Amino acid sequence: MSISLERRYAARLEDFSARHAFLVDLAMVLALMGCALLGGSLTMPGAAPPDQDMTATTLMGVACLVLLKHRLHPRTVVVVAAGCTVTAIALGYLVTPLLLAPLMAALYWLSALTDRRSTRVLGLITLVAVTLAAVVSDSMNHISPLLRTIGPVFWLMLPLAAGKMTQLRRAYLQSVQARAEHAERTREEEARLRVTEERMRIARELHDVVAHHMALANAQAGTAAHLALTHPEQTQRILKDLTGTTSSALRELKATLGLLRQNDDTPGSAGLEPSPGLARLPELVAACESAGLGVTVTTEGEPQPLSPGVDLTAFRIVQEALTNVTRHAAAEAAHVRLEYTGSRLLITVTNDGPADNGPTDDLPTDDGPTTAEPAQSRGFGVMGMRERARSIGGELCAGPRPQGGFEVSTALPLQPSPATHLAGGTTP
């Protein structure tokens, strides 16, 4: 409590000194002038004071008044104050802390406001000059030469050390303030980066949900319209599947958008359904088959547990790859291969369509973006899959196969690295 009050009063004093600098300097000069005049009247016991009373008053007055310029010209102030003080000592005035008060104040401001080299040079010259004047002064005849030397050196070293401590404290406070400002700017930049990453994540989720289900719904509706007259029973089954596709789309949209409204601090708030994973692959295959695309799934190696982020990423990549087959490729069948090897999961999605079919609107080439379609019609399917794979430390390749059709292959880690996890890549 006392420390906080002390800091509060010190801050108020510094604020008042900054706002009323001239008044503070004037009060200091008047106080030092009184000390110097009192010091000029002191003598050793049994010794008579010097006869030059007006001379001492003038010298000490000049040494004090010049301190009003210590903020702008600290070096000049030290030279003038040292000259007046040395002259007074040479005239026979006793060397006391009161007589040295103006010079001590000048040395303090020199040490606090100037660089180290100026402090050393001017401080050393002042110490030597005052010490020599004290040694040869008649007023110090009753004192040993050792005491004549130690006294002035001690009293003049004291303000130099205090000024340097003040300078170091001021530099420390400035560095603390600079670090605080830098931390504030960094915190704001990090917050903006997290907001951007969250917007991109939500955009990928919405793209995957809307693109997949709408593509399936469109394919199912087209198939039903084509078979309506010739195969009414199959048409009815497809229309039922269409209802399930749209309902699933609404559920996933609700779950995704619910993340924006969810408040974990609200008691009794309803929890959202778990994020989709490879466990829902049979539902995805059934939905694609109702749209006229036959999908086969093969698994190689011993299935390993996946982290939630990797599980979601694997499902979304398979979902988007099959959606691209439904939308872009004139294919009747697709094949999904899952291979667990070591610490990675290899996923390959291929179709048997013509060699020139595939989501070319998503793929850049070495010569720049593809010109298969106008720029405004290009989608973000392969781009989104590649970003998802990279966000958890994986890799993805997509392109046409030499024997025909299109292939999407990705290698995902079974467990993302800690650095990837901290970066937010595994957030579902």
Side-chain angles (χ1 to χ4, degrees):
M1 184 67 180
S2 60
I3 296 178
S4 61
L5 288 176
E6 181 181 351
R7 290 179 178 176
R8 184 184 306 173
Y9 288 127
R12 291 181 179 178
L13 182 61
E14 291 180 359
D15 183 62
F16 178 81
S17 177
R19 287 186 291 134
H20 307 283
F22 179 76
L23 295 178
V24 173
D25 293 344
L26 183 60
M28 177 192 67
V29 167
L30 294 177
L32 291 175
M33 188 174 294
C35 294
L37 294 178
L38 179 61
S41 64
L42 297 178
T43 60
M44 294 293 293
D51 297 333
Q52 298 89 351
D53 292 336
M54 292 302 299
T55 303
T57 302
T58 302
L59 290 174
M60 293 299 99
V62 172
C64 292
L65 290 177
V66 75
L67 291 174
L68 293 174
K69 296 296 183 179
H70 74 273
R71 299 180 187 272
L72 299 177
H73 308 285
R75 298 175 181 83
T76 304
V77 169
V78 169
V79 173
V80 174
C84 294
T85 303
V86 169
T87 303
I89 295 174
L91 292 176
Y93 288 92
L94 185 64
V95 181
T96 62
L98 294 176
L99 186 70
L100 296 176
L103 180 58
M104 292 171 64
L107 289 175
Y108 171 81
W109 291 115
L110 174 72
S111 179
L113 298 178
T114 62
D115 57 284
R116 185 172 299 179
R117 183 174 182 275
S118 298
T119 302
R120 289 178 178 177
V121 173
L122 293 178
L124 180 61
I125 294 175
T126 302
L127 282 174
V128 172
V130 173
T131 303
L132 291 177
V135 170
V136 302
S137 174
D138 296 336
S139 63
M140 307 287 287
N141 289 334
H142 302 288
I143 304 176
S144 65
L146 180 62
L147 294 179
R148 294 185 191 183
T149 304
I150 293 178
V153 171
F154 173 79
W155 290 112
L156 295 182
M157 285 293 293
L158 192 63
L160 289 174
K164 188 56 62 179
M165 291 179 62
T166 301
Q167 188 181 59
L168 294 176
R169 178 178 176 273
R170 187 181 298 116
Y172 170 75
L173 294 178
Q174 291 177 353
S175 65
V176 169
Q177 183 178 1
R179 286 197 299 268
E181 294 176 354
H182 176 71
E184 185 67 24
R185 290 194 302 268
T186 304
R187 184 160 50 248
E188 293 177 357
E189 293 175 359
E190 182 179 358
R192 287 195 296 267
L193 179 61
R194 289 185 178 274
V195 169
T196 302
E197 291 177 350
E198 183 67 11
R199 290 174 58 188
M200 293 181 62
R201 185 187 67 81
I202 293 175
R204 285 197 300 264
E205 287 292 319
L206 290 176
H207 172 270
D208 292 345
V209 172
V210 173
H212 169 68
H213 290 93
M214 292 302 101
L216 287 180
N218 179 69
Q220 289 170 341
T223 305
H226 180 70
L227 301 176
L229 298 178
T230 58
H231 300 80
E233 295 181 357
Q234 187 177 356
T235 301
Q236 186 178 5
R237 187 177 68 253
I238 293 176
L239 292 177
K240 290 181 180 179
D241 294 338
L242 177 59
T243 303
T245 301
T246 54
S247 299
S248 178
L250 291 175
R251 284 197 306 272
E252 292 204 29
L253 281 174
K254 182 180 179 180
T256 303
L257 297 177
L259 294 175
L260 303 177
R261 303 191 188 101
Q262 185 182 18
N263 185 5
D264 295 336
D265 298 332
T266 303
S269 60
L272 299 175
E273 65 178 18
S275 300
L278 292 180
R280 293 180 54 181
L281 202 55
E283 301 178 15
L284 180 62
V285 171
C288 292
E289 289 179 347
S290 66
L293 177 66
V295 180
T296 57
V297 179
T298 59
T299 302
E300 299 180 6
E302 183 68 22
Q304 302 291 329
L306 305 177
S307 68
V310 176
D311 200 15
L312 172 63
T313 300
F315 177 80
R316 290 302 190 198
I317 289 177
V318 174
Q319 182 186 56
E320 181 63 24
L322 294 178
T323 300
N324 287 338
V325 175
T326 305
R327 292 169 55 190
H328 302 288
E332 297 180 354
H335 180 68
V336 179
R337 183 170 63 91
L338 307 177
E339 181 181 355
Y340 294 87
T341 169
S343 61
R344 302 181 75 82
L345 169 62
L346 305 181
I347 301 176
T348 306
V349 181
T350 58
N351 67 78
D352 57 356
D356 58 347
N357 281 344
T360 55
D361 51 338
D362 292 317
L363 288 174
T365 64
D366 296 336
D367 298 329
T370 180
T371 58
E373 295 185 8
Q376 61 269 24
S377 67
R378 293 171 187 162
F380 300 95
V382 175
M383 184 188 303
M385 289 189 291
R386 185 174 291 111
E387 289 179 354
R388 280 188 177 276
R390 290 176 178 174
S391 68
I392 60 172
E395 301 175 352
L396 184 139
C397 299
R401 298 191 303 167
Q403 65 271 31
F406 199 83
E407 178 180 282
V408 175
S409 61
T410 180
L412 305 177
L414 299 181
Q415 298 291 334
S417 63
T420 306
H421 179 72
L422 291 175
T426 61
T427 304

